[in-house]
Amino acid sequence: FGTLALWAVLGYLLGSIPFGLVLAKAMDLGDLRQIGSGNIGATNVLRTGSKKAAALTLLLDGAKGAAAVLLARWIVGEDAAQIAALFAFLGHCYPVWLNFRGGKGVATFLGILLALSWPVGLASCAAWLFTALLGRISSLAALVAAATSPLWMLVFGVTQALVLGGILTLLLFWRHSSNIARLKAGTEPRVGQK
Ligand code: G3P
């Protein structure tokens, strides 16, 4: 149990690094929480006008999720990897450094999936891309990618990750409550729109 608890803490700490916020500050793009949706993720970084900062945020927020899984798996094993994944996601969404007001977890979720099982991760990224190209709404693409991820786990036989995948999907939907309300009302902005 001690080892798993340690990986919960390490995963949380990795996940809690708010790369979007740090990059936006470092690149003089302003305080993300005062811009657009106020979120600290790549989609909102894009609203500052910097594609480079948005791409870097996507990459780094994804990499921290993947790193948590890969490190825990390499040093301990699959159980620790799943715990590290869950807590990295929680760290991103509820970072202690930001009064527990973090992001929505999309990039971190995709990074985690890629590290858990790259075919599942790739299929979810493809679902994101397909929906994003079709509708040009980042949150909708994220919801489709998350909702379809258990299906990819079944397709690729990664059933040991189904419970974790289900929990992460529910959390991701929860973190998108305001987006879901805007989607229903037809007021969710498209990518490139203010
Ligand atoms: O990555 C989060 C995305 O799904 C929605 O972001 O800023 O439009 O609420 P945002």
Side-chain angles (χ1 to χ4, degrees), residues 64-138:
K64 71 188 183 187
V69 172
L70 296 175
L71 275 172
R73 178 187 284 152
W74 179 49
I75 297 173
V76 187
E78 208 51 42
D79 284 357
Q82 292 210 8
I83 293 288
L86 173 62
F87 279 85
F89 187 85
L90 290 172
H92 178 82
C93 295
Y94 307 100
V96 58
W97 330 111
L98 303 175
N99 287 325
F100 302 99
R101 279 196 287 266
K104 300 181 181 175
V106 182
T108 307
F109 175 77
L110 292 173
I112 286 169
L113 285 187
L114 280 166
L116 280 176
S117 155
W118 63 265
V120 171
L122 276 187
S124 294
C125 288
W128 189 95
L129 202 65
F130 181 74
T131 318
L133 290 175
L134 219 66
R136 305 219 154 265
I137 302 178
S138 180

Side-chain angles (χ1 to χ4, degrees), residues 37 39 43-44 47 104 106 138-139 142 176 179 182 188:
S37 67
N39 192 40
T43 303
N44 208 34
R47 295 192 183 105
K104 300 181 181 175
V106 182
S138 180
S139 60
H176 281 78
N179 302 87
R182 284 195 294 271
E188 182 74 325

